[in-house]
Amino acid sequence: MNLGLAITPSGRFVTETAPEHVPPLPGKAAETLAEKFAESNAAGLLALIGAPTPAELPPSLAYWRGFASRFFQAVRQLKDPALDRWDMVPAPGDETLLQWVALAPPMRGLEYLTVELLRASWQSLREVAAATAAAFDGGAEAYLRELNPLWHLLGRVTFHLAENKRDERRPFAFLATYAHRLSGQARLAHLPLSEALKTYAQAQDQHQLDSVLEPVKLAARHSPLARELLDSKAIFAPQAWTIQQAYRFLQETPRIEAAGIVVRVPDWWSARRPPRPQVQVLLGTKPASVVGVDQLLDFNVHIALEGEPLSEKEYRALLAGTEGLVLLRGKWVEVDRQKLQQALDHWKQLQHGHAAGIDFIHGMRLLAGADFKELESADAPIAVWSNITAGDWLKNTLERMRHPQADQGCVPGRDLQATLRPYQAEGVQWLWFMTELGLGACLADDMGLGKTIQIIDLLLQRKRASRKGAASKRPPPSLLVVPASLLGNWRAELARFGPPLNTFFAHRSETSAAELERVAAEPDTALANVDLVVTTYSLVRRQSWLAGRRWSLVMLDEAQAIKNNASAQARSVKQLQGASRIVLTGTPVENHLGDLWSIFDFCCPGLLGTAAQFKKFVKRLNERPDAQAYGGLRQLVRPYILRRMKTDPAIVPDLPQKTEMRTECSLSKKQAVLYEQVVAALAQRLKEAEPKNDIARRGLVLSTLMQLKQICNHPAQYLKRADFRAEESGKFDRLTLLCEPIAERQERALVFTQFQSLTEPLAEFLATIFGRPGLVLHGGTPIGKRAELVRAFQAELGPPFLVISLKAGGSGLNLTAASHVIHFDRWWNPAVENQATDRAFRIGQRRNVLVHKFVCRGTLEERIDATIRDKQAIADQVLSAEPELRLTELNDEELLRFVSLDIERATAEFG
């Protein structure tokens, strides 16, 4: 079974099917891991440590196994590793934990990985491990042996390497010791290993002697140096070592430690990052001469130690060293002359080939250590012996990319017909800075944080700036590509917040066919005074003129629409040309590598290489055993992503507790045909109805209204069929677009419908989006089972959604686990809808609640919604306690106008 780990919003680790193509875990091991992680985070981590696993693991499992291993490594490094001392193993410091966060591989819920979660996981692992060891038959030693056969040897034998400054020829000393006894201060007392021979030989305790020497014999199987020390018996006496001997020992340290021997070396040495001079590559010391992704960064190369360039004398001394270690500036440093020269030659050659400088995208890849062309696996020594650093100008630029600052040319909100929240103003400043540099940007704020209003204000800022430069040529308009279902939302938001923007909607739902043809024929002339063109993904495929001109900005809303790079839609969108590109998405793009590449292939072309290069690069990352190889990739894309979450402490105070959104939907062609047939039948029957038979007329109108509402939901509901195919309903299509980011964020939703018969089809469909089943509650649900459903939904790892018939969910339910409320079809009385909404928005709710009200454009639903929102005079007549009965009192002409279909607007998305 291919198993991976995900992190829930509450910080729980849950197992799920791994998307990576890796050898599966043995069936029993996979089942055990799933059970243990369901029990607790710590129980799962302990099971992961002891599970039989293949050499290649999914990155998420490898990452967390490495985390748990670090805890036991810390136990091993205690001077006294006895069980009652495990509470002396503190969590690593914030700097180390921050690095672990930055190096984590893609996994669902990656955005919830924080320093606080790592610290809490370390503490719970320590507590559960200690409690389990204490209760284990045979105690801590037996527990460690059971968990890992090597860990019961921890602390028994120690190899020490120290500096010997009194002997220049042999400047190092080696000693092997063993843990002799506990001192009066409850500390382990060490004696030379030779004493073990005397002590246990005198006691004739061969078993204990074998136990002490077992890790030494095991080390000898994997370390040639350990084998020589054991065979020559030199291990039983102190040794004075040359530089070459000491360096050999330092190189073999990982294999010796893997055998269960504790190794003590000078503080300046780390097997992971030993001190060494490196070729320092300095990028972007001076301002680039050209602004944009093609700008050239100056490129300087020299040899440095800890960032400080070496003098000519120091460099000559370095090259004269032949034994692996050189004493330089009072420190012992590792030197491999051949590899250092290889790295220097490589960068000098690259510098020579880019005499004018290196382009920004190439420089960013080099800086992140994720260059898909230069650093192939065969060139690993080049990466090890190189240090690529941002110069002053580039460092300042990257800082501003990560932390937006005020800019004289950008004053957020000055032309906007609204007041921006602080984080929104920062978003506008960031977008301004990125587009001024000509760089791509991914605005990935959570749903409901106002991505739309930030884009509108950015466009207003650019319009003001273009007026200041009136002497120069007016810049071309910007292009915004959206799903057709969001056209109405953008139209309303632009009219409300950005009336100064001259906007053209390149779509037949908003513009006549004749006007669209005129603009397509002469776009430069027709759009001369336009600031923004709004179109849809489907129209980009069909209208070649959109890709045939260069736009000021090209922006994609709901950019996950191009996550499938092989689709015709993605290919056509990527042909659009603009000075800068912006993508908007509420989905965490870093969590899925395929989505990440495709979206960045649009907003930052070339940053992640070609599809083939990226695939090869990721394969190399998956082959790395430490699961932290993804750090460079995350470092590479992070400056281009601005992501704020509703749970961020700095944002929570700015958010309203409840936000209501009108969610527009189209009708499929099948829905439109059925809708028009029902309206035509109503018109005919009204003509044939008896003039004075009010009861018959009222029944006819009510039944027609019910039929139209069913058609707006799904043709199968109206036709009394069981096949609810998603492509036949605009609402089902819109539900997919809405719920995919909700599912990815692991948030939960309540879905209300007034039709009990629709609850099960909706639940079946939603299960395909969320990847697991939800719950259903309707009028036929037994009273006793209602409380059981509520408890299940409110549970920490409860089902992701609950479908409720409106009347069944009207009162008495506390469903605060949901942060989204979706009204799939509209109940004409807003008080009834509000009562249903308050199942989630009530006392005990700690989340911002987003309310999504589905409305089919060009239909009866849109006119009812407009009546409610605009609070027209007719509202009191139509929307009373019995709103549908009031509708029956309209005359024939008013009624038919009210229920008529605007075919162009209704079928815009499917046309």
Side-chain angles (χ1 to χ4, degrees), residues 82-104:
L83 176 61
D84 59 358
R85 310 293 294 179
W86 285 18
D87 62 348
M88 301 292 291
V89 181
D94 284 358
E95 186 176 343
T96 299
L97 295 180
L98 275 171
Q99 185 180 21
W100 286 4
V101 170
L103 296 178

Side-chain angles (χ1 to χ4, degrees), residues 346-347 350 354 359 361-362 365-366 369-379 382 606-610 613-614 616-617 620:
H346 170 85
W347 293 114
L350 190 64
H354 296 79
D359 68 81
I361 292 296
H362 194 176
R365 291 205 303 259
L366 292 176
D371 194 290
F372 308 106
K373 296 178 181 178
E374 302 293 339
L375 298 180
E376 296 296 331
S377 56
D379 295 327
I382 295 175
L607 184 69
L608 299 184
T610 65
Q613 288 172 339
F614 187 72
K616 184 176 181 181
F617 178 74
R620 295 207 325 264

Side-chain angles (χ1 to χ4, degrees), residues 246-257:
Y247 182 56
R248 184 183 176 193
F249 174 77
L250 291 171
Q251 288 184 304
E252 296 190 24
T253 290
R255 281 177 280 180
I256 294 172
E257 287 184 312

Side-chain angles (χ1 to χ4, degrees), residues 376-531:
E376 296 296 331
S377 56
D379 295 327
I382 295 175
V384 170
W385 289 89
S386 303
N387 178 32
I388 306 171
T389 307
D392 293 341
W393 180 85
L394 182 57
K395 187 183 300 182
N396 179 63
T397 300
L398 293 176
E399 180 64 22
R400 293 190 64 185
M401 289 170 69
R402 297 183 181 104
H403 304 287
Q405 301 172 8
D407 189 295
Q408 290 183 348
C410 175
V411 182
R414 58 183 165 184
D415 296 322
L416 189 75
Q417 303 301 304
T419 301
L420 292 171
R421 299 188 178 103
Y423 71 87
Q424 291 171 334
E426 290 179 0
V428 174
Q429 290 168 343
W430 180 75
L431 289 168
W432 170 270
F433 181 71
M434 296 294 282
T435 55
E436 285 296 289
L437 282 179
L439 301 175
C442 175
L443 183 59
D445 287 345
D446 270 357
M447 187 186 304
L449 294 188
K451 294 187 287 292
T452 301
I453 201 171
Q454 293 175 65
I455 290 296
I456 292 173
D457 193 46
L458 172 68
L459 293 169
L460 289 168
Q461 301 290 329
R462 292 174 67 86
K463 182 180 178 72
R464 174 183 283 263
S466 69
R467 286 201 303 265
K468 287 183 179 180
S472 60
K473 185 179 178 182
R474 178 187 173 93
S478 293
L479 178 68
L480 172 65
V481 184
V482 305
S485 56
L486 296 185
L487 278 171
N489 296 68
W490 275 97
R491 183 189 66 249
E493 300 286 85
L494 284 162
R496 179 182 176 188
F497 301 122
L501 294 172
N502 187 4
T503 303
F504 175 74
F505 285 86
H507 199 271
R508 62 185 178 82
S509 66
E510 305 291 339
T511 307
S512 68
E515 180 66 7
L516 287 173
E517 289 179 6
R518 184 183 71 83
V519 172
E522 294 288 342
D524 291 339
T525 303
L527 302 176
N529 296 314
V530 170
D531 301 304

